[in-house]
Amino acid sequence: MYYWYLKGQKLDIVQGLPRIEELLEARKPKEPAILARRPVVCQVEYKDDEAIDVKVIEDDGTISEYSLGPNQNIIVGDDQRVNTGDSLSDGLVSPHELLEVFYDYYKEHMGAYDAAPRCPAKGSVILG
């Protein structure tokens, strides 16, 4: 991603776009937060007064289940409605996963061509 000019000076293509640079060069966290892939209603399962799973119910009735990692905690409550890309557990949001979640969501509703430019914009609003 570098262009070479006379005298060996290099210029980074994205140096004028700091938010895009942060998204492209971001590192994945070791224990990223679990993100909602669609607008859903959450149901938390408990065992011995400790949250162990989150079930999410989509608008069409589809139920998905997310298991928590050993050091993760739930940050949503029972019957709480969350939007696409919202965190269900504590931890850092992985920019890579966030872009994937938004791309999949918008691709389903708008098609791949219209979804591509919308994802970085939505991701930068949430991360920034």
Side-chain angles (χ1 to χ4, degrees), residues 29-50:
K30 290 183 181 179
E31 291 186 20
I34 298 172
L35 302 178
R37 301 194 77 75
R38 310 237 179 302
V40 295
V41 175
C42 300
Q43 290 185 341
V44 181
E45 289 186 17
Y46 294 94
K47 181 178 181 182
D48 298 330
D49 294 331
E50 189 173 319

PDB file of all heavy atoms in Angstrom, residues 29-50:
ATOM      1  N   PRO A  29      -8.969  -8.326  19.212  1.00  0.00           N
ATOM      2  CA  PRO A  29      -8.783  -8.554  20.643  1.00  0.00           C
ATOM      3  C   PRO A  29      -8.793 -10.053  20.969  1.00  0.00           C
ATOM      4  O   PRO A  29      -9.384 -10.846  20.232  1.00  0.00           O
ATOM      5  CB  PRO A  29      -9.967  -7.842  21.287  1.00  0.00           C
ATOM      6  CG  PRO A  29     -10.929  -7.584  20.210  1.00  0.00           C
ATOM      7  CD  PRO A  29     -10.204  -7.638  18.909  1.00  0.00           C
ATOM      8  N   LYS A  30      -8.153 -10.426  22.075  1.00  0.00           N
ATOM      9  CA  LYS A  30      -8.094 -11.837  22.459  1.00  0.00           C
ATOM     10  C   LYS A  30      -9.475 -12.381  22.801  1.00  0.00           C
ATOM     11  O   LYS A  30      -9.809 -13.499  22.448  1.00  0.00           O
ATOM     12  CB  LYS A  30      -7.145 -12.023  23.640  1.00  0.00           C
ATOM     13  CG  LYS A  30      -5.701 -11.824  23.272  1.00  0.00           C
ATOM     14  CD  LYS A  30      -4.802 -12.091  24.449  1.00  0.00           C
ATOM     15  CE  LYS A  30      -3.356 -11.859  24.045  1.00  0.00           C
ATOM     16  NZ  LYS A  30      -2.436 -12.075  25.153  1.00  0.00           N
ATOM     17  N   GLU A  31     -10.261 -11.620  23.543  1.00  0.00           N
ATOM     18  CA  GLU A  31     -11.616 -12.024  23.899  1.00  0.00           C
ATOM     19  C   GLU A  31     -12.581 -10.931  23.451  1.00  0.00           C
ATOM     20  O   GLU A  31     -12.978 -10.073  24.236  1.00  0.00           O
ATOM     21  CB  GLU A  31     -11.738 -12.255  25.403  1.00  0.00           C
ATOM     22  CG  GLU A  31     -10.978 -13.463  25.882  1.00  0.00           C
ATOM     23  CD  GLU A  31     -11.222 -13.758  27.345  1.00  0.00           C
ATOM     24  OE1 GLU A  31     -12.233 -13.289  27.898  1.00  0.00           O
ATOM     25  OE2 GLU A  31     -10.398 -14.461  27.920  1.00  0.00           O
ATOM     26  N   PRO A  32     -12.972 -10.960  22.162  1.00  0.00           N
ATOM     27  CA  PRO A  32     -13.863  -9.905  21.680  1.00  0.00           C
ATOM     28  C   PRO A  32     -15.272 -10.047  22.246  1.00  0.00           C
ATOM     29  O   PRO A  32     -15.685 -11.127  22.668  1.00  0.00           O
ATOM     30  CB  PRO A  32     -13.859 -10.119  20.163  1.00  0.00           C
ATOM     31  CG  PRO A  32     -13.549 -11.562  19.990  1.00  0.00           C
ATOM     32  CD  PRO A  32     -12.646 -11.929  21.133  1.00  0.00           C
ATOM     33  N   ALA A  33     -15.980  -8.947  22.248  1.00  0.00           N
ATOM     34  CA  ALA A  33     -17.372  -8.957  22.679  1.00  0.00           C
ATOM     35  C   ALA A  33     -18.209  -9.749  21.674  1.00  0.00           C
ATOM     36  O   ALA A  33     -17.891  -9.800  20.489  1.00  0.00           O
ATOM     37  CB  ALA A  33     -17.902  -7.526  22.773  1.00  0.00           C
ATOM     38  N   ILE A  34     -19.275 -10.357  22.164  1.00  0.00           N
ATOM     39  CA  ILE A  34     -20.221 -11.052  21.292  1.00  0.00           C
ATOM     40  C   ILE A  34     -21.165  -9.995  20.742  1.00  0.00           C
ATOM     41  O   ILE A  34     -21.724  -9.199  21.499  1.00  0.00           O
ATOM     42  CB  ILE A  34     -20.998 -12.126  22.067  1.00  0.00           C
ATOM     43  CG1 ILE A  34     -20.034 -13.181  22.610  1.00  0.00           C
ATOM     44  CG2 ILE A  34     -22.045 -12.764  21.184  1.00  0.00           C
ATOM     45  CD1 ILE A  34     -20.672 -14.175  23.550  1.00  0.00           C
ATOM     46  N   LEU A  35     -21.344  -9.969  19.417  1.00  0.00           N
ATOM     47  CA  LEU A  35     -22.173  -8.949  18.767  1.00  0.00           C
ATOM     48  C   LEU A  35     -23.464  -9.550  18.240  1.00  0.00           C
ATOM     49  O   LEU A  35     -23.479 -10.689  17.761  1.00  0.00           O
ATOM     50  CB  LEU A  35     -21.409  -8.314  17.603  1.00  0.00           C
ATOM     51  CG  LEU A  35     -20.085  -7.650  17.944  1.00  0.00           C
ATOM     52  CD1 LEU A  35     -19.432  -7.125  16.672  1.00  0.00           C
ATOM     53  CD2 LEU A  35     -20.285  -6.533  18.938  1.00  0.00           C
ATOM     54  N   ALA A  36     -24.536  -8.769  18.304  1.00  0.00           N
ATOM     55  CA  ALA A  36     -25.812  -9.179  17.713  1.00  0.00           C
ATOM     56  C   ALA A  36     -25.702  -9.060  16.199  1.00  0.00           C
ATOM     57  O   ALA A  36     -25.277  -8.035  15.680  1.00  0.00           O
ATOM     58  CB  ALA A  36     -26.939  -8.300  18.242  1.00  0.00           C
ATOM     59  N   ARG A  37     -26.062 -10.114  15.499  1.00  0.00           N
ATOM     60  CA  ARG A  37     -25.947 -10.132  14.047  1.00  0.00           C
ATOM     61  C   ARG A  37     -27.177  -9.525  13.360  1.00  0.00           C
ATOM     62  O   ARG A  37     -27.127  -9.209  12.182  1.00  0.00           O
ATOM     63  CB  ARG A  37     -25.707 -11.552  13.562  1.00  0.00           C
ATOM     64  CG  ARG A  37     -24.415 -12.126  14.185  1.00  0.00           C
ATOM     65  CD  ARG A  37     -23.918 -13.349  13.533  1.00  0.00           C
ATOM     66  NE  ARG A  37     -23.245 -13.168  12.273  1.00  0.00           N
ATOM     67  CZ  ARG A  37     -22.022 -12.686  12.107  1.00  0.00           C
ATOM     68  NH1 ARG A  37     -21.344 -12.279  13.136  1.00  0.00           N
ATOM     69  NH2 ARG A  37     -21.494 -12.594  10.910  1.00  0.00           N
ATOM     70  N   ARG A  38     -28.251  -9.366  14.082  1.00  0.00           N
ATOM     71  CA  ARG A  38     -29.495  -8.788  13.580  1.00  0.00           C
ATOM     72  C   ARG A  38     -30.197  -8.067  14.744  1.00  0.00           C
ATOM     73  O   ARG A  38     -29.844  -8.274  15.881  1.00  0.00           O
ATOM     74  CB  ARG A  38     -30.437  -9.887  13.090  1.00  0.00           C
ATOM     75  CG  ARG A  38     -29.823 -10.871  12.146  1.00  0.00           C
ATOM     76  CD  ARG A  38     -30.599 -10.913  10.849  1.00  0.00           C
ATOM     77  NE  ARG A  38     -30.082 -11.810   9.852  1.00  0.00           N
ATOM     78  CZ  ARG A  38     -28.876 -11.800   9.323  1.00  0.00           C
ATOM     79  NH1 ARG A  38     -27.991 -10.960   9.751  1.00  0.00           N
ATOM     80  NH2 ARG A  38     -28.512 -12.626   8.375  1.00  0.00           N
ATOM     81  N   PRO A  39     -31.221  -7.276  14.463  1.00  0.00           N
ATOM     82  CA  PRO A  39     -32.028  -6.732  15.569  1.00  0.00           C
ATOM     83  C   PRO A  39     -32.768  -7.894  16.245  1.00  0.00           C
ATOM     84  O   PRO A  39     -33.469  -8.659  15.575  1.00  0.00           O
ATOM     85  CB  PRO A  39     -33.014  -5.797  14.878  1.00  0.00           C
ATOM     86  CG  PRO A  39     -32.419  -5.501  13.546  1.00  0.00           C
ATOM     87  CD  PRO A  39     -31.615  -6.703  13.177  1.00  0.00           C
ATOM     88  N   VAL A  40     -32.564  -8.057  17.550  1.00  0.00           N
ATOM     89  CA  VAL A  40     -33.082  -9.229  18.262  1.00  0.00           C
ATOM     90  C   VAL A  40     -33.575  -8.848  19.652  1.00  0.00           C
ATOM     91  O   VAL A  40     -33.292  -7.769  20.157  1.00  0.00           O
ATOM     92  CB  VAL A  40     -31.997 -10.329  18.403  1.00  0.00           C
ATOM     93  CG1 VAL A  40     -31.601 -10.892  17.063  1.00  0.00           C
ATOM     94  CG2 VAL A  40     -30.781  -9.809  19.142  1.00  0.00           C
ATOM     95  N   VAL A  41     -34.286  -9.795  20.266  1.00  0.00           N
ATOM     96  CA  VAL A  41     -34.650  -9.725  21.678  1.00  0.00           C
ATOM     97  C   VAL A  41     -33.833 -10.797  22.389  1.00  0.00           C
ATOM     98  O   VAL A  41     -33.756 -11.934  21.924  1.00  0.00           O
ATOM     99  CB  VAL A  41     -36.162  -9.967  21.883  1.00  0.00           C
ATOM    100  CG1 VAL A  41     -36.505 -10.020  23.357  1.00  0.00           C
ATOM    101  CG2 VAL A  41     -36.967  -8.886  21.179  1.00  0.00           C
ATOM    102  N   CYS A  42     -33.196 -10.446  23.493  1.00  0.00           N
ATOM    103  CA  CYS A  42     -32.285 -11.356  24.194  1.00  0.00           C
ATOM    104  C   CYS A  42     -32.989 -12.092  25.324  1.00  0.00           C
ATOM    105  O   CYS A  42     -33.860 -11.539  25.983  1.00  0.00           O
ATOM    106  CB  CYS A  42     -31.118 -10.582  24.795  1.00  0.00           C
ATOM    107  SG  CYS A  42     -30.141  -9.719  23.580  1.00  0.00           S
ATOM    108  N   GLN A  43     -32.577 -13.332  25.537  1.00  0.00           N
ATOM    109  CA  GLN A  43     -32.976 -14.111  26.708  1.00  0.00           C
ATOM    110  C   GLN A  43     -31.708 -14.718  27.288  1.00  0.00           C
ATOM    111  O   GLN A  43     -30.961 -15.391  26.582  1.00  0.00           O
ATOM    112  CB  GLN A  43     -33.964 -15.215  26.338  1.00  0.00           C
ATOM    113  CG  GLN A  43     -35.314 -14.704  25.955  1.00  0.00           C
ATOM    114  CD  GLN A  43     -36.296 -15.836  25.705  1.00  0.00           C
ATOM    115  OE1 GLN A  43     -35.910 -16.964  25.483  1.00  0.00           O
ATOM    116  NE2 GLN A  43     -37.572 -15.499  25.743  1.00  0.00           N
ATOM    117  N   VAL A  44     -31.472 -14.480  28.567  1.00  0.00           N
ATOM    118  CA  VAL A  44     -30.253 -14.942  29.229  1.00  0.00           C
ATOM    119  C   VAL A  44     -30.567 -16.212  30.011  1.00  0.00           C
ATOM    120  O   VAL A  44     -31.558 -16.277  30.731  1.00  0.00           O
ATOM    121  CB  VAL A  44     -29.699 -13.855  30.178  1.00  0.00           C
ATOM    122  CG1 VAL A  44     -28.421 -14.319  30.844  1.00  0.00           C
ATOM    123  CG2 VAL A  44     -29.480 -12.557  29.414  1.00  0.00           C
ATOM    124  N   GLU A  45     -29.728 -17.248  29.846  1.00  0.00           N
ATOM    125  CA  GLU A  45     -29.864 -18.492  30.606  1.00  0.00           C
ATOM    126  C   GLU A  45     -28.886 -18.472  31.775  1.00  0.00           C
ATOM    127  O   GLU A  45     -27.719 -18.140  31.595  1.00  0.00           O
ATOM    128  CB  GLU A  45     -29.571 -19.698  29.720  1.00  0.00           C
ATOM    129  CG  GLU A  45     -30.630 -19.975  28.697  1.00  0.00           C
ATOM    130  CD  GLU A  45     -30.350 -21.255  27.943  1.00  0.00           C
ATOM    131  OE1 GLU A  45     -29.542 -22.083  28.411  1.00  0.00           O
ATOM    132  OE2 GLU A  45     -30.945 -21.423  26.884  1.00  0.00           O
ATOM    133  N   TYR A  46     -29.375 -18.841  32.940  1.00  0.00           N
ATOM    134  CA  TYR A  46     -28.550 -18.845  34.148  1.00  0.00           C
ATOM    135  C   TYR A  46     -28.382 -20.260  34.682  1.00  0.00           C
ATOM    136  O   TYR A  46     -29.258 -21.105  34.517  1.00  0.00           O
ATOM    137  CB  TYR A  46     -29.197 -17.988  35.241  1.00  0.00           C
ATOM    138  CG  TYR A  46     -29.259 -16.529  34.893  1.00  0.00           C
ATOM    139  CD1 TYR A  46     -30.392 -15.976  34.297  1.00  0.00           C
ATOM    140  CD2 TYR A  46     -28.190 -15.694  35.162  1.00  0.00           C
ATOM    141  CE1 TYR A  46     -30.450 -14.632  33.982  1.00  0.00           C
ATOM    142  CE2 TYR A  46     -28.236 -14.344  34.853  1.00  0.00           C
ATOM    143  CZ  TYR A  46     -29.369 -13.828  34.261  1.00  0.00           C
ATOM    144  OH  TYR A  46     -29.429 -12.494  33.945  1.00  0.00           O
ATOM    145  N   LYS A  47     -27.242 -20.514  35.310  1.00  0.00           N
ATOM    146  CA  LYS A  47     -26.987 -21.773  36.009  1.00  0.00           C
ATOM    147  C   LYS A  47     -26.199 -21.422  37.259  1.00  0.00           C
ATOM    148  O   LYS A  47     -25.122 -20.834  37.177  1.00  0.00           O
ATOM    149  CB  LYS A  47     -26.197 -22.731  35.128  1.00  0.00           C
ATOM    150  CG  LYS A  47     -25.920 -24.066  35.773  1.00  0.00           C
ATOM    151  CD  LYS A  47     -25.177 -24.975  34.825  1.00  0.00           C
ATOM    152  CE  LYS A  47     -24.929 -26.314  35.476  1.00  0.00           C
ATOM    153  NZ  LYS A  47     -24.165 -27.198  34.595  1.00  0.00           N
ATOM    154  N   ASP A  48     -26.743 -21.750  38.418  1.00  0.00           N
ATOM    155  CA  ASP A  48     -26.104 -21.421  39.695  1.00  0.00           C
ATOM    156  C   ASP A  48     -25.840 -19.925  39.821  1.00  0.00           C
ATOM    157  O   ASP A  48     -24.750 -19.489  40.186  1.00  0.00           O
ATOM    158  CB  ASP A  48     -24.798 -22.190  39.874  1.00  0.00           C
ATOM    159  CG  ASP A  48     -25.001 -23.697  39.894  1.00  0.00           C
ATOM    160  OD1 ASP A  48     -26.091 -24.130  40.340  1.00  0.00           O
ATOM    161  OD2 ASP A  48     -24.095 -24.424  39.454  1.00  0.00           O
ATOM    162  N   ASP A  49     -26.836 -19.111  39.518  1.00  0.00           N
ATOM    163  CA  ASP A  49     -26.767 -17.646  39.609  1.00  0.00           C
ATOM    164  C   ASP A  49     -25.686 -17.031  38.729  1.00  0.00           C
ATOM    165  O   ASP A  49     -25.198 -15.950  38.990  1.00  0.00           O
ATOM    166  CB  ASP A  49     -26.563 -17.191  41.058  1.00  0.00           C
ATOM    167  CG  ASP A  49     -27.757 -17.517  41.922  1.00  0.00           C
ATOM    168  OD1 ASP A  49     -28.878 -17.555  41.377  1.00  0.00           O
ATOM    169  OD2 ASP A  49     -27.571 -17.715  43.139  1.00  0.00           O
ATOM    170  N   GLU A  50     -25.289 -17.730  37.675  1.00  0.00           N
ATOM    171  CA  GLU A  50     -24.285 -17.210  36.759  1.00  0.00           C
ATOM    172  C   GLU A  50     -24.792 -17.359  35.325  1.00  0.00           C
ATOM    173  O   GLU A  50     -25.300 -18.404  34.947  1.00  0.00           O
ATOM    174  CB  GLU A  50     -22.973 -17.980  36.933  1.00  0.00           C
ATOM    175  CG  GLU A  50     -21.821 -17.376  36.189  1.00  0.00           C
ATOM    176  CD  GLU A  50     -20.522 -18.083  36.528  1.00  0.00           C
ATOM    177  OE1 GLU A  50     -20.295 -18.421  37.696  1.00  0.00           O
ATOM    178  OE2 GLU A  50     -19.741 -18.288  35.593  1.00  0.00           O
TER     179      GLU A  50
END
